[in-house]
């Protein structure tokens, strides 16, 4: 059952079928399945510099996949989204290979409805990806905060935009 909208969901669902809220898995994963970033937290405080070129502005969000920061590229003088993923301990080699493969694939896509990838790399064992920083509310929040039910025309417009972007 969804904690936000109380919709019934299948027991293996990771997200609510109605509002897209993340659901707690019925089978708890062991704590060792992900690792905490091996760095002092002060590295990512506002004003600090990462990878010699990204000055952290603020933390935007965190979750099971990692942490996202708003940062400023010091040379190009533009705001970027700096994503620091959490790497699973059990398959880190495979995960890192997949992370870079997906970053390269995403960097080849150019569409007005998709966020472009600017950079990917690793500094002192910390993997990262930077993308265009886009002002506004995340799509997940827009979906979760919509009234029930969504007007069909609005939902269809969103689905069309997403389909065109991934086509």
């Amino acid at each position: 059952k969804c904690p936000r909208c109380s919709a019934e969901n299948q027991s293996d669902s990771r997200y609510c079928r109605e509002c897209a809220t993340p659901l707690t898995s019925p089978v708890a994963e062991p704590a060792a399945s992900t690792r905490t970033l091996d760095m002092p937290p002060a590295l990512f405080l506002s004003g600090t510099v990462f990878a010699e070129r990204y000055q952290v502005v603020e933390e935007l969000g965190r979750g099971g996949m990692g942490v996202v920061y708003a940062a400023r590229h010091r040379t190009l003088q533009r705001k970027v989204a700096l994503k620091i993923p959490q790497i699973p301990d059990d398959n880190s080699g495979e995960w890192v290979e997949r992370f870079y493969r997906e970053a390269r694939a995403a960097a080849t896509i150019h569409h007005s409805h998709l966020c472009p990838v600017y950079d990917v790399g690793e500094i002192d064992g910390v993997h990262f990806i930077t993308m265009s920083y886009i002002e506004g509310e995340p799509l997940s929040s827009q979906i979760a905060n919509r009234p029930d039910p969504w007007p069909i025309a609005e939902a269809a417009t969103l689905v069309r935009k997403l389909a065109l972007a991934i086509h």
Side-chain angles (χ1 to χ4, degrees), residues 30 49 54 67 69 75 89 102 122 136 143-144:
V49 176
Y54 300 109
V67 185
Y69 299 91
T75 305
D89 285 333
E102 288 179 5
E122 177 255 329
I143 292 171

Side-chain angles (χ1 to χ4, degrees), residues 4 15 18-22 60-61 136-147 150 158:
R4 177 181 287 259
Y15 297 92
E18 294 295 326
C19 69
T21 297
L60 296 174
E137 184 181 14
L139 177 59
S140 60
S141 296
Q142 290 179 29
I143 292 171
N145 296 329
R146 293 294 303 171
W150 257 27
L158 174 62

Side-chain angles (χ1 to χ4, degrees), residues 95-159:
W95 186 94
V96 170
E97 180 181 316
R98 181 175 153 210
F99 174 72
Y100 284 93
R101 185 175 57 247
E102 288 179 5
R104 284 190 301 272
T108 66
I109 300 170
H110 303 283
H111 192 279
S112 61
H113 293 300
L114 294 178
C115 186
V117 171
Y118 292 149
D119 192 9
V120 66
E122 177 255 329
I123 301 292
D124 297 329
V126 178
H127 297 274
F128 69 95
I129 188 169
T130 60
M131 304 175 87
S132 176
Y133 177 83
I134 300 172
E135 291 282 345
E137 184 181 14
L139 177 59
S140 60
S141 296
Q142 290 179 29
I143 292 171
N145 296 329
R146 293 294 303 171
D148 282 334
W150 257 27
I152 293 174
E154 287 182 35
T157 298
L158 174 62
V159 169

Side-chain angles (χ1 to χ4, degrees), residues 19-53:
C19 69
T21 297
L23 301 173
T24 305
S25 173
V27 179
E29 293 184 26
S33 67
T34 59
R35 69 176 174 84
T36 303
L37 299 174
D38 296 326
M39 67 190 67
L43 182 64
F44 294 103
L45 291 178
S46 180
T48 57
V49 176
F50 176 71
E52 298 181 2
R53 58 192 172 276

Side-chain angles (χ1 to χ4, degrees), residues 9-15 26:
N9 290 277
Q10 293 183 346
S11 61
D12 62 344
S13 296
R14 294 184 63 195
Y15 297 92

